[in-house]
Amino acid sequence: MRPAAESRLRSYLAGTHARIDLDRYTRNIQILKDVAGPDRAFMAVVKGNAYGHGAIVCGQAALAAGADVLAVARVREALLLRRAGIDGPILILGGPNPEFVDEAIEAGIALTAGSRTALAHIAEAGKRVSRRAIVHLKLDTGLHRFGVRPEHAVEVARVAQQNPWVDLEGIYAHFSSADEPDPVPTLAEMNAAEESITAIRQAGIDVRYFHLPNSAATISGLTGSSTLVRSGIATYGLQPSDAVQLPPGIEPVLSLHSRLTRVFEILPGEGVSYGLTYRATDREVVATVPIGYGDGLPRSLSNRGWFTVKGERAPIRGRVCMDQTIVGLPVDAVEGDEVVIIGHQANDMPADMIATLDNTIVYEVVARLSLRVPRIYYRNGEPAFWEDDILGESFLAT
Ligand SMILES: *Cc1c(COP(=O)(O)O)cnc(C)c1O
């Protein structure tokens, strides 16, 4: 290993860092591909910095694992992947910033059109840069966020097909409630989308990809006649909701670690952290951990939740600060000992538990892990690559 890389690795491991297990990510994608079936293409969703896991490394790993297409939300996210040398298919989910459409088309990035106007704008941009725009037409089947109403689907698809600057590659819709226990809304939305694609095909318009399912619908088998599935959350080994059980073998990809920076004692009646919202009743050994809401740890975990030290739960004491958090120490530990903030061993706090405590969903917990946290990517249990978005540096093990 090059000395600079090794020295940085040692530094990162001595502080707050995220571990991303690329073998698990690869295996999760393979399992989900099996669940979707051999006749369906697989779109790995790596928007939001791959749900906090790191878009470039996950994008590369997803394609290597057999994903056919990557998806992001912003054109700039796709341009980042292109700049990193990823030349595979990428789709922008949702409406692109109109000012970035020319650049997207020049980079061969597929765009979503959610209206006739948006489609016309994309076609004009294609003409301007002399390159056909790859377009997926989005139907609004019930989520009511964005898209063409099913009753206009054939008409807009025909406009797309007839425009020489548009290559209509896909038609899709996004479920409103696939992660809810009640399947009725999903089935109604699926029906509307299926009727639209049938009518579009009957009108002689051929598209390569018809896609409805997200992770939840893929796992629940609500795939209809989709020729592609889109999966984000399950590829990272996280459950879309309590109502959806992950297929066997899928494991969480990310864990979050730090070190104790100060171990000390507080006396009865003494308080801890801003506002002194926690007060010791007895002499208590506590420790400071260099992680806070500036790293993405919710401040609502103040006096709730725990980290683990040597496999034991160390409860959060007082308020979570921007950069530091104090925990009660249940075991003998010294400065420099490891702390698990998000983990998957017996006593660890998993990401879904943080979501429950913060009254949110697991998506948000991982997506808001800030760029301040260096990411260490593991292969075969060993660090293979590490990335520091603050310094804009990355290191390869070999
Ligand atoms: C984010 C997103 C997905 C991925 O959803 P998961 O629940 O993470 O699998 C799929 N489709 C669209 C349109 C999205 O915006």
Side-chain angles (χ1 to χ4, degrees):
M1 203 185 292
R2 285 167 303 134
E6 195 174 337
S7 139
R8 276 285 199 254
L9 176 63
R10 227 175 312 115
S11 311
Y12 297 144
L13 294 178
T16 301
H17 63 278
R19 281 176 81 135
I20 287 117
D21 187 326
L22 292 174
D23 294 322
R24 285 186 173 193
Y25 183 59
T26 299
R27 206 170 324 117
N28 293 346
I29 289 176
Q30 288 163 350
I31 292 170
L32 290 161
K33 274 170 62 81
D34 283 348
V35 168
D39 298 333
R40 290 196 176 89
F42 191 90
M43 180 182 284
V45 182
V46 295
K47 65 189 179 191
N49 198 28
Y51 296 43
H53 294 63
I56 293 173
V57 182
C58 288
Q60 285 163 341
L63 292 172
D68 303 280
V69 188
L70 300 177
V72 291
R74 307 279 185 254
V75 173
R76 286 163 42 254
E77 293 183 294
L79 293 173
L80 174 73
L81 299 178
R82 284 280 184 265
R83 202 180 288 170
I86 296 178
D87 52 13
I90 306 176
L91 172 67
I92 308 298
L93 301 168
N97 177 339
E99 298 297 326
F100 274 107
V101 163
D102 293 37
E103 250 179 284
I105 296 170
E106 284 177 318
I109 295 160
L111 294 163
T112 295
S115 68
R116 263 188 99 122
T117 321
L119 179 65
H121 180 85
I122 292 170
E124 280 162 26
K127 186 172 179 187
R128 203 158 43 234
V129 302
S130 304
R131 185 162 170 174
R132 285 182 89 201
I134 308 165
V135 172
H136 288 221
L137 183 61
K138 176 78 180 289
L139 306 178
D140 180 4
T141 52
L143 182 60
H144 295 144
R145 189 166 71 175
F146 166 77
V148 176
R149 282 195 171 260
E151 55 268 35
H152 302 132
V154 175
E155 172 199 329
V156 182
R158 191 175 285 122
V159 171
Q161 190 213 23
Q162 287 172 352
N163 193 305
W165 296 105
V166 171
D167 169 9
L168 183 63
E169 186 187 56
I171 309 270
Y172 75 105
H174 190 36
F175 292 133
S176 67
S177 315
D179 57 350
E180 300 280 336
D182 180 6
V184 170
T186 308
L187 293 172
E189 290 167 24
M190 181 144 78
N191 226 9
E194 293 285 351
E195 278 177 13
S196 294
I197 190 69
T198 303
I200 287 167
R201 291 205 167 114
Q202 275 168 358
I205 301 163
D206 192 31
V207 292
R208 180 162 176 204
Y209 295 127
F210 169 60
H211 48 114
L212 306 177
N214 54 5
S215 293
T218 302
I219 293 167
S220 310
L222 297 168
T223 39
S225 69
S226 295
T227 61
L228 174 150
V229 301
R230 307 184 299 269
S231 183
I233 198 75
T235 64
Y236 305 108
L238 301 170
Q239 237 177 305
S241 74
D242 287 346
V244 183
Q245 295 304 314
L246 290 173
I250 290 204
E251 294 177 299
V253 170
L254 179 141
S255 56
L256 187 59
H257 306 254
S258 190
R259 302 271 173 188
L260 301 178
T261 46
R262 180 184 175 216
V263 175
F264 59 108
E265 207 176 47
I266 48 172
L267 302 176
E270 287 185 334
V272 152
S273 191
Y274 290 122
L276 307 177
T277 58
Y278 175 82
R279 282 184 191 272
T281 47
D282 294 308
R283 285 175 93 88
E284 182 177 354
V285 180
V286 295
T288 308
V289 184
I291 187 160
Y293 59 82
D295 302 289
L297 184 75
R299 186 169 175 276
S300 67
L301 262 60
S302 300
N303 288 307
R304 305 160 82 207
W306 65 88
F307 303 159
T308 47
V309 177
K310 297 182 173 172
E312 298 293 328
R313 291 182 180 185
I316 295 174
R317 297 300 195 210
R319 291 208 177 123
V320 171
C321 309
M322 190 184 291
D323 317 304
Q324 305 187 66
T325 298
I326 293 126
V327 292
L329 263 193
V331 288
D332 281 339
V334 296
E335 287 162 14
D337 279 350
E338 199 194 17
V339 186
V340 179
I341 291 128
I342 296 177
H344 318 292
Q345 308 299 324
N347 270 328
D348 293 345
M349 195 159 55
D352 347 48
M353 174 72 74
I354 297 183
T356 304
L357 291 174
D358 190 38
N359 198 16
T360 185
I361 51 175
V362 74
Y363 294 74
E364 188 183 349
V365 171
V366 286
R368 70 182 162 193
L369 267 186
S370 86
L371 295 182
R372 192 165 81 177
V373 178
R375 269 72 168 168
I376 320 283
Y377 297 90
Y378 284 73
R379 282 266 187 220
N380 304 314
E382 296 289 333
F385 187 77
W386 38 107
E387 201 166 64
D388 180 347
D389 283 299
I390 291 277
L391 296 179
E393 295 174 347
S394 55
F395 305 90
L396 202 58
T398 48

